[in-house]
Amino acid sequence: MALLKGFEIEMYTGTPQGEIVGLSDKIVGSLDGFMREPDSRNVEYITNPSSNYENLLCALLRPRRELRNYLQRLGNYTLIPGSTLSLGDSDRFFRSDPTNPYHDYIETTYGTKVVTASVHINIGISDPEVLMRACRVIRTEAPLFLALSASSPFLDGKTTGYHSTRWGIFPQTPVHVPLFASHAHHIEWVENQLAAGTMQNVRHLWSSVRPNGDRRPYNLNRLELRICDLVTDPIALLAITAFLEARLLQIIENPSIDPLIQSIFSPEELVTLIASNEAAAASSSLDAQLTHWQDGKRILARDWITELYQDVWAIAKQQGFSCFLSPVHKILREGNEAQQWLQLHKVGFDSQCVITQAIAVTQERELELENNLCSSLVV
């Protein structure tokens, strides 16, 4: 059974030279389908759920083409890859809606640590108990998806020591989120957080994975993977999504895949292990040394991904989307975006040169995909 999939994409706007410029108030006022973030320098769009990868590819490209056309009408503006304020201005918050009290709270509490760009992958699972188990498993494996997607090695024009500076500095909130043993456990916990003020609203749960739905925490119908940096190449993003979907199909079919059953660690120990693995993946991505949630063995992120890939390949092939999964090999072979950028930096390109080149490559890649795979979208 193919699962419904959809994306929330946050992107920066700015100049071809890499300067990030806040334009979201203009964009949201002029274009349907775009939403503002608390800071005006990035803007979000959401794709409609679909089980079909070809449809998802075009759904990723269409809003971006519309946005690029609109930005050109505003001036010489473009879309900027990466998940942090790579070239500067991380000391200032540019409010997109000064009258929004929730944005007041975010700016005051977190500052520009939240002014990041990312992709949230939503995959539909209607049974709430199966969804909770899926969230438990994927939360223990979320560092693998961060490792594949890392794209934020720069901040304010300098390397930071992270492959994902975004996840390295992002304020995960609340500070302690348990592995939810059941839907009832999740409801009780969220209600307690809201009462205590550690969550301002039901959306204020910023962990690597969370259950999502139309009336949280009561009506839930999808898993939301929040850990990924922005993946600008749609083919790479769909490969990461196919990897996630194939793993979820495996989890759905096999109820014994569950950290509460298969792990040598207690639930509390698992929460600590998850935090340690996420920090390692934020620093070193595919080359991170991680601790496996089942048996505690040490394993490189890239090797763990390869093991899981071999496990789920047959599922993807049976469901007809293995061709979208296979580009995971290219990411493992050539490195994620952060690793490619750091390689250029290592041989003498400064951060601005790296980012300006990435801006041009991203636009060329979108045009290539539109022309070859979504030709009906081309003006």
Side-chain angles (χ1 to χ4, degrees):
M1 60 172 179
L3 303 176
L4 286 173
K5 300 162 281 286
F7 303 99
E8 303 164 53
I9 308 284
E10 300 161 351
M11 298 190 81
Y12 294 115
T13 55
T15 70
Q17 293 73 43
E19 179 192 359
I20 295 175
V21 180
L23 299 168
S24 70
D25 53 339
K26 293 183 174 65
I27 295 165
V28 170
S30 302
L31 296 181
D32 291 335
F34 288 89
M35 287 137 289
R36 70 178 82 224
E37 294 291 300
D39 189 289
S40 65
R41 288 171 289 186
N42 53 13
V43 69
E44 180 181 80
Y45 70 92
I46 297 174
T47 67
N48 288 326
S50 175
S51 59
N52 180 286
Y53 279 89
E54 288 86 352
N55 291 347
L56 285 168
L57 173 64
C58 299
L60 286 167
L61 289 168
R62 182 184 293 112
R64 223 178 283 186
R65 185 206 57 189
E66 293 173 357
L67 180 53
R68 284 188 183 280
N69 290 342
Y70 177 72
L71 291 173
Q72 282 295 298
R73 295 200 298 273
L74 287 181
N76 190 20
Y77 296 118
T78 188
L79 298 174
I80 299 181
S83 284
T84 46
L85 299 164
S86 296
L87 300 184
D89 281 340
S90 76
D91 58 336
R92 297 176 60 198
F93 208 100
F94 292 81
R95 285 284 292 276
S96 65
D97 182 1
T99 64
N100 187 317
Y102 183 45
H103 292 186
D104 280 340
Y105 175 85
I106 288 173
E107 180 184 4
T108 303
T109 308
Y110 308 114
T112 57
K113 287 181 178 180
V114 298
V115 186
T116 62
S118 65
V119 54
H120 297 174
I121 306 171
N122 286 268
I123 300 193
I125 300 175
S126 56
D127 183 314
E129 298 305 334
V130 176
L131 173 58
M132 287 299 155
R133 181 167 60 86
C135 284
R136 291 194 291 272
V137 180
I138 299 304
R139 192 166 159 212
T140 63
E141 297 173 1
L144 306 180
F145 296 92
L146 178 61
L148 288 166
S149 68
S151 66
S152 51
F154 303 127
L155 186 69
D156 293 332
K158 301 182 179 68
T159 57
T160 62
Y162 291 110
H163 290 189
S164 173
T165 304
R166 168 185 162 269
W167 201 250
I169 65 173
F170 197 84
Q172 295 188 54
T173 302
V175 172
H176 179 84
V177 179
L179 281 180
F180 299 113
S182 65
H183 187 203
H185 180 203
H186 177 67
I187 291 171
E188 179 186 20
W189 182 85
V190 170
E191 289 177 342
N192 289 340
Q193 302 309 306
L194 292 170
T198 49
M199 285 172 59
Q200 296 295 298
N201 54 50
V202 294
R203 292 161 41 225
H204 194 208
L205 171 52
W206 297 344
S207 57
S208 57
V209 178
R210 71 182 182 192
N212 201 344
D214 301 328
R215 195 168 74 89
R216 290 173 276 182
Y218 310 106
N219 296 346
L220 303 173
N221 63 3
R222 60 191 182 272
L223 177 146
E224 181 186 3
L225 181 65
R226 301 170 52 82
I227 199 170
C228 291
D229 273 9
L230 175 65
V231 182
T232 52
D233 183 346
I235 297 297
L237 175 54
L238 292 178
I240 294 168
T241 306
F243 184 49
L244 175 60
E245 180 179 10
R247 180 60 166 155
L248 286 172
L249 288 168
Q250 184 184 37
I251 291 163
I252 290 166
E253 286 299 308
N254 186 348
S256 69
I257 302 175
D258 186 344
L260 300 184
I261 296 173
Q262 290 186 329
S263 180
I264 64 169
F265 300 104
S266 71
E268 281 300 308
E269 289 170 335
L270 281 168
V271 170
T272 302
L273 179 150
I274 288 164
S276 174
N277 280 349
E278 287 183 10
S283 293
S284 305
S285 67
L286 293 169
D287 297 321
Q289 280 275 358
L290 306 178
T291 302
H292 201 294
W293 63 265
Q294 286 181 298
D295 55 12
K297 74 175 180 181
R298 299 289 283 167
I299 184 169
L300 278 178
R302 63 172 66 253
D303 294 339
W304 192 348
I305 291 164
T306 300
E307 284 183 10
L308 277 179
Y309 184 99
Q310 291 164 349
D311 283 349
V312 302
W313 166 259
I315 295 170
K317 187 170 177 58
Q318 181 185 17
Q319 295 297 328
F321 62 84
S322 57
C323 62
F324 286 95
L325 172 62
S326 58
V328 165
H329 280 307
K330 183 181 179 186
I331 302 173
L332 292 173
R333 185 175 66 251
E334 298 181 4
N336 56 42
E337 203 158 25
Q339 290 173 307
Q340 293 177 24
W341 291 358
L342 286 169
Q343 188 59 37
L344 288 170
H345 192 265
K346 187 177 178 182
V347 298
F349 293 91
D350 66 23
S351 55
Q352 183 171 22
C353 186
V354 172
I355 294 296
T356 53
Q357 179 177 316
I359 290 168
V361 167
T362 299
Q363 187 160 5
E364 288 167 14
R365 179 65 164 154
E366 288 174 23
L367 280 171
E368 174 194 7
L369 291 172
E370 282 183 0
N371 289 330
N372 293 339
L373 299 173
C374 293
S375 56
S376 62
L377 300 180
V378 176
V379 177

